[in-house]
Amino acid sequence: MKSKEIEFTQLIENNQGIVHKVCRIYCDSPEAHEDLFQEIVLQLWKSFDSFKGDAKFSTWMYRVGLNTAITLIRKKKKNIPTTSIDSQPFFDVRAHEFDEEKEERLKLLYKAIKKLNDVERALVLLYLEDLPYKEIAQTLGISEVNARVKMNRAKDKLKEMMTATA
């Protein structure tokens, strides 16, 4: 493998939790999750040369992943169009399994998050990652003040939804 492919594969393996979280927020089925995961990794690969290191790799990864997911969701296609990652012989990214018990606990929260609009979902995902508002704003391409305002509104919506189901 060339050094570029090795570097990319290592970065994806080390940070694949980010992609899984994006998929979990935007997908309802394991098949859609897997398809979106592959599509995000493919888009990351296609844009890897554009990563200049101005921001952290994880910030760039969130931006590409969220943009890919939101673009596909907004197209409102029942089947997400994907390109097989298997057609790229140098990819050997192994998905780590997530703790099923933890998944169950998160289902209620994710169910509420899925009721938010696309931008609010992305904002909540980044917030749950404990990213500072400055980095959230940079990832979403909005001002830091706007990120704070939108997050407070999203929190209020989530509280309302969670208390309504309790």
Side-chain angles (χ1 to χ4, degrees), residues 9-21 24 33 37 41 61 92-100 103:
T9 301
Q10 289 173 341
L11 285 167
I12 295 300
E13 283 184 352
N14 293 340
N15 294 283
Q16 70 176 291
I18 291 170
V19 179
H20 280 295
K21 289 170 188 167
R24 196 179 299 123
H33 180 115
F37 181 91
V41 171
M61 194 172 183
D92 189 20
V93 178
R94 291 174 183 81
H96 300 290
E97 295 297 320
F98 282 93
D99 180 1
E100 290 299 318
E103 287 290 317

Side-chain angles (χ1 to χ4, degrees), residues 87-151:
S87 67
Q88 305 295 329
F90 49 81
F91 284 122
D92 189 20
V93 178
R94 291 174 183 81
H96 300 290
E97 295 297 320
F98 282 93
D99 180 1
E100 290 299 318
E101 184 178 314
K102 184 178 179 182
E103 287 290 317
E104 288 300 317
R105 291 189 308 247
L106 292 172
K107 277 186 181 180
L108 290 176
L109 177 61
Y110 284 120
K111 187 175 180 182
I113 292 171
K114 285 181 182 185
K115 293 178 183 176
L116 298 173
N117 70 42
D118 294 339
V119 174
E120 290 169 333
R121 282 190 232 173
L123 185 67
V124 169
L125 173 66
L126 296 171
Y127 179 81
L128 291 174
E129 287 296 303
D130 289 327
L131 295 177
Y133 279 107
K134 183 177 182 178
E135 196 169 329
I136 291 171
Q138 183 183 23
T139 302
L140 296 178
I142 59 178
S143 72
E144 189 174 341
V145 171
N146 196 1
R148 289 178 186 277
V149 169
K150 287 181 180 288
M151 189 62 225

Side-chain angles (χ1 to χ4, degrees), residues 40-51:
I40 290 171
V41 171
L42 181 64
Q43 292 307 318
L44 285 164
W45 171 248
K46 285 181 176 179
S47 59
F48 189 56
D49 288 334
S50 72
F51 176 65

